């Protein structure tokens, strides 16, 4: 996995979870919060930590915020700080800003001030849980937009087993792209058309949400 640099601004539960997950993936992470307690909690986890107010333009400039591959604005309980931090990071040249929103209105404002991507962790988690409960074969969803998703689909349907990707033809049948096949603990990234799908393999697919749901309905239990 290519190492990238991340600045996580705001260390509530969401921000701390992001920091821990990125560090576990061996990424470089700067963790910043205006309060001392959450920064101290991340001190032995993140690559770097800092107690600072990200509403201060000079603070962000001093961080060389434009040098990070991703800036994640995890501030949730202070909408003004969230919006101003997002705006300043983009004005200072941040490459890609991902901002957490609490409400739809909050999300719209974040997009207007420059956020490249807005996420709704609580809402999306609720959607994900319901989808898992209602689906038969889908293990995980990550929505990429309102229309597209990345999903992990477990194969138990005998008609899909011992078939190569050409014969399954998910692109033509469902407008879905297979980007990985997991067989046990082995993961095949960018599989070839001649690769065979086996029983209990997990396919990682990308495509329209409705088409992933259609695939789930098509698969036999």
């Amino acid at each position: 996995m290519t190492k990238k640099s991340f600045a996580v601004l705001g260390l509530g539960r969401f921000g701390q979870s992001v920091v821990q997950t990125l560090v576990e993936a061996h990424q470089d992470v700067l963790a910043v919060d205006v309060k001392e307690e959450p920064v101290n909690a991340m001190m032995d986890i993140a690559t770097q930590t800092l107690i600072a107010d990200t509403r201060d333009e000079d603070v962000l400039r001093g961080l060389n915020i434009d040098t990070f591959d991703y800036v994640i604005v995890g501030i949730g309980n202070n909408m003004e700080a969230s919006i101003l931090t997002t705006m300043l990071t983009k004005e200072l040249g941040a490459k890609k800003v991902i901002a957490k929103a609490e409400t739809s209105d909050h999300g719209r404002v974040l997009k207007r001030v420059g956020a490249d991507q807005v996420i709704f962790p609580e809402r999306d988690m609720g959607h994900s849980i319901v989808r898992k409960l209602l689906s038969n074969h889908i293990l995980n969803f990550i929505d990429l937009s309102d229309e597209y998703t990345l999903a992990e689909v477990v194969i138990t349907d005998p008609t899909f087993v011992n078939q190569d990707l050409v014969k399954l033809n998910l692109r033509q049948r469902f407008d879905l792209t297979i980007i990985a096949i997991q067989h046990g603990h082995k993961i095949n990234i960018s599989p070839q058309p001649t690769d065979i799908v086996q029983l209990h393999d997990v396919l990682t697919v990308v495509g329209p949400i409705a088409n992933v749901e259609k695939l789930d309905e098509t698969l036999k239990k």
Side-chain angles (χ1 to χ4, degrees), residues 11-215:
L11 300 176
R13 286 182 298 177
F14 170 75
Q16 290 191 26
S17 176
V18 169
V19 170
Q20 290 174 328
T21 302
L22 288 171
V23 170
E24 288 171 3
H26 308 292
Q27 303 300 303
D28 288 327
V29 186
L30 167 66
V32 183
D33 199 280
V34 70
K35 296 179 181 178
E36 182 177 356
E37 184 177 353
V39 172
N40 288 342
M42 293 291 102
M43 192 168 292
D44 295 328
I45 298 174
T47 311
Q48 294 178 281
T49 56
L50 180 68
I51 302 170
D53 188 345
T54 56
R55 294 172 297 183
D56 188 328
E57 184 175 347
D58 291 333
V59 166
L60 294 174
R61 185 175 285 108
L63 294 176
N64 296 318
I65 206 70
D66 59 318
T67 64
F68 290 89
D69 293 307
Y70 294 90
V71 176
I72 300 171
V73 181
I75 304 167
N77 58 355
N78 186 330
M79 193 175 297
E80 180 264 342
S82 166
I83 294 168
L84 185 56
T85 296
T86 300
M87 181 181 71
L88 289 174
T89 55
K90 288 303 292 184
E91 288 181 351
L92 292 172
K95 299 171 186 174
K96 185 164 186 177
V97 177
I98 301 170
K100 172 191 174 185
E102 296 292 320
T103 66
S104 297
D105 288 340
H106 184 193
R108 281 196 291 270
V109 175
L110 289 172
K111 290 291 288 185
R112 288 173 182 171
V113 298
D116 298 288
Q117 182 178 350
V118 175
I119 57 175
F120 300 82
E122 289 83 4
R123 183 199 69 182
D124 293 344
M125 182 177 293
H127 287 179
S128 179
I129 290 171
V130 170
R131 281 183 187 166
K132 289 179 188 178
L133 291 172
L134 296 179
S135 67
N136 297 313
H137 305 88
I138 298 173
L139 302 180
N140 288 300
F141 285 93
I142 300 176
D143 285 346
L144 305 176
S145 69
D146 290 338
E147 296 180 357
Y148 287 86
T149 192
L150 180 150
E152 293 180 331
V153 183
V154 61
I155 300 301
T156 57
D157 186 336
T159 64
F160 278 65
V161 174
N162 295 325
Q163 302 289 326
D164 63 26
L165 300 188
V166 173
K167 290 180 180 178
L168 290 181
N169 199 16
L170 296 191
R171 184 185 292 275
Q172 184 68 31
R173 294 166 63 190
F174 299 98
D175 192 22
L176 298 176
T177 300
I178 299 174
I179 62 173
I181 302 175
Q182 181 175 347
H183 180 71
H185 295 293
K186 295 182 179 180
I187 300 178
N188 178 4
I189 303 296
S190 299
Q192 299 301 308
T194 54
D195 287 338
I196 303 295
V197 173
Q198 301 179 47
L199 186 65
H200 301 308
D201 278 358
V202 177
L203 307 184
T204 302
V205 301
V206 176
I209 294 172
N211 293 12
V212 172
E213 293 172 347
K214 187 183 297 183
L215 171 62

